[in-house]
Amino acid sequence: MRLAAPLSFATLALAAIAAAPQPPAHKAPHAATQMVAQTPPMGWNSWNFFHRNVTQKDVEAAADAMASNGMRDAGYVYVNIDDTWEGERDANGVLHTNSKFPDMKALADYVHSKGLKLGIYSSPGPKTCAGFEGSYGHEQQDADLYASWGIDYLKYDLCSYRKIMAEQAPNDKAAQMRTMIAAYAKMDKALKSTGRPIVFSLCQYGDDAVWEWAPSIGGNLWRTTGDINPTWNRIYDILEEQAGLARYAGPGHWNDPDMLEVGNGKLSPAENRSHFSMWAMLAAPLLAGNDLPNMTPEVLSILTNHDVIAIDQDRLGREATRAYADGEVEVWTRHLEHGALAVAVLNVGSDRYSSHPFNLSLAKLGLRGPQNGKDLWTGKEVTLTNDEPIELASHDILLVRIPAPRY
Ligand code: GLA
């Protein structure tokens, strides 16, 4: 069992943060950000499945699928284009799409006609991570362009801005951090000035305790880690990195442990369930990243489990914390509206027989006596006790909602 080391922030990063205006963790973000992302954003993003190959047709097909397969009704709203839609700037600096996206306005209209919203991607640097045109020096122009198309969400990915930071403040990490924060603040201001509600998603891989300052510059969500990939090890590593971040999340501003890989790669059904369950426990954005028109019914049923989605979307917006770990089993709890409690018991062990049966300690969760709840994957009523062992296969999860826990 590998336990996460406590998150340690680089001294330099802390110095940068100290130099920047500091909100307390729970300071309410300014009024305009209150209008979007009151619960973690739900939708789909093109990157995890299509990577650089995504086309306008693929995005339309994703919207079609989402609108007709039950996902929209389950709460999925944003259809987000990731990197590689960008073309060249014209003589006036106006950015155009490339040939994979012949008509962005038409695409936005199409997505909106399905009752969905459209997201886009850029970088504060001159180039995006895939080497396409970024927004550096054109922030307001790009924000205005997005608004004119009808864009509802922007993922803003650091990428080549790192070079600008290094150039502007060589050998001065603290100044580099201030430069980075200023770049994100600049785009937030540009987006706000369009008057269009646009979710602002920060992507800089969790550097420099982004959770400390992102809400104060209008960030609705911020990546807490490097990129996810569709393997259990990566999903587990990311999960471990989330310990300690719960207090930074709340309505309008969320930790983002990256987009979902449910249905991608060779993840087993148990791994897909556990990944989805834990992202819901973490109040993470639920952005599916798979091939929506061609997924299996089993993957669809995981992505549209209403009870699990309700955990993610709980209005209190309180992210789960890890209550304890015992052997290869981790127990996480999340406080929900109306005094309810979600309990996740996760077998992170890779040996099928390593750690089951598992005896839950209710005392370690601060609970007294048997607890009645619903198993959100079987839909059955269950009673959690100290002495009835829980059978959990490798990488599988028991997720229970206890409506009236007894403490
Ligand atoms: C970075 C991001 C990914 C994706 C790619 C696109 O790696 O972290 O989520 O947006 O860039 O180039």
Side-chain angles (χ1 to χ4, degrees):
M1 164 83 212
R2 192 150 53 83
L3 284 181
L7 287 167
S8 57
F9 308 135
T11 318
L12 285 172
L14 279 176
I17 294 306
Q22 278 312 288
H26 284 299
K27 182 179 167 187
H30 48 92
T33 53
Q34 295 286 7
M35 292 157 49
V36 293
Q38 290 303 290
T39 60
M42 290 179 66
W44 173 85
N45 174 292
S46 59
W47 187 256
N48 284 353
F49 181 75
F50 288 102
H51 300 281
R52 305 170 66 107
N53 300 322
V54 65
T55 66
Q56 182 163 337
K57 284 220 167 333
D58 297 326
V59 176
E60 284 166 5
D64 289 343
M66 209 189 273
S68 61
N69 68 9
M71 286 180 74
R72 184 185 62 196
D73 300 335
Y76 293 83
V77 168
Y78 293 98
V79 179
N80 292 350
I81 307 162
D82 208 276
D83 204 350
T84 78
W85 64 268
E86 309 88 342
E88 304 294 324
R89 292 189 188 277
D90 64 22
N92 298 319
V94 177
L95 184 58
H96 293 263
T97 55
N98 62 41
S99 59
K100 296 194 293 136
F101 286 84
D103 191 340
M104 196 63 89
K105 176 81 176 76
L107 178 56
D109 290 346
Y110 184 77
V111 167
H112 291 153
S113 78
K114 300 262 162 185
L116 300 167
K117 293 175 190 284
L118 187 65
I120 210 160
Y121 167 100
S122 189
S123 169
K127 294 287 173 201
T128 66
C129 294
F132 287 69
E133 194 66 19
S135 291
Y136 185 60
H138 296 273
E139 294 81 0
Q140 190 63 58
Q141 204 169 18
D142 286 359
D144 291 343
L145 179 68
Y146 305 150
S148 76
W149 281 336
I151 296 293
D152 307 291
Y153 186 117
L154 173 68
K155 172 174 167 184
Y156 208 42
D157 196 349
L158 191 64
C159 311
S160 66
Y161 195 76
R162 279 182 163 148
K163 218 172 124 212
I164 306 284
M165 287 154 58
E167 278 164 14
Q168 289 194 356
N171 305 320
D172 184 349
K173 276 274 174 201
Q176 289 181 12
M177 293 312 115
R178 288 196 295 275
T179 306
M180 176 176 68
I181 294 169
Y184 279 97
K186 188 173 196 177
M187 183 48 99
D188 177 64
K189 200 160 158 253
L191 292 173
K192 295 279 176 358
S193 81
T194 68
R196 187 175 175 87
I198 298 176
V199 174
F200 189 33
S201 158
L202 275 57
C203 179
Q204 44 79 284
Y205 338 113
D207 283 353
D208 310 301
V210 57
W211 37 84
E212 299 263 7
W213 51 267
S216 72
I217 57 96
N220 298 117
L221 59 152
W222 50 87
R223 279 273 296 277
T224 56
T225 68
D227 288 11
I228 197 167
N229 63 48
T231 61
W232 174 258
N233 285 349
R234 184 64 191 135
I235 290 166
Y236 172 62
D237 282 348
I238 289 180
L239 174 64
E240 298 302 286
E241 284 184 53
Q242 307 314 302
L245 298 185
R247 71 192 184 96
Y248 298 100
H253 50 106
W254 308 101
N255 289 309
D256 173 8
D258 208 354
M259 306 167 294
L260 295 167
E261 292 283 13
V262 174
N264 284 341
K266 293 192 174 125
L267 294 173
S268 69
E271 289 167 346
N272 279 325
R273 267 196 305 275
S274 294
H275 174 27
F276 194 68
S277 301
M278 288 314 300
W279 263 231
M281 289 292 279
L282 293 170
L286 295 181
L287 295 173
N290 59 321
D291 184 10
L292 299 186
N294 299 304
M295 70 182 134
T296 64
E298 185 179 44
V299 167
L300 178 62
S301 77
I302 291 172
L303 289 174
T304 53
N305 182 316
H306 289 255
D307 287 331
V308 180
I309 290 171
I311 303 284
D312 182 73
Q313 296 288 300
D314 185 83
R315 295 249 148 216
L316 277 188
R318 286 184 64 184
E319 183 175 326
T321 54
R322 189 172 50 203
Y324 73 99
D326 181 358
E328 293 187 310
V329 176
E330 297 196 1
V331 185
W332 292 65
T333 55
R334 177 170 173 181
H335 292 278
L336 304 168
E337 264 192 317
H338 312 303
L341 185 73
V343 178
V345 186
L346 177 65
N347 178 356
V348 302
S350 293
D351 175 350
R352 273 197 322 132
Y353 304 104
S354 61
S355 57
H356 78 92
F358 174 73
N359 276 74
L360 184 65
S361 163
L362 292 172
K364 284 188 182 161
L365 308 184
L367 297 172
R368 248 181 338 105
Q371 306 282 330
N372 296 325
K374 181 177 178 186
D375 177 331
L376 303 188
W377 288 110
T378 64
K380 294 200 175 118
E381 297 303 314
V382 288
T383 302
L384 295 179
T385 65
N386 283 309
D387 22 63
E388 263 180 73
I390 297 168
E391 301 284 332
L392 272 180
S394 165
H395 301 173
D396 211 346
I397 193 161
L398 172 70
L399 182 61
V400 176
R401 183 180 185 278
I402 303 171
R406 284 179 297 129
Y407 292 97

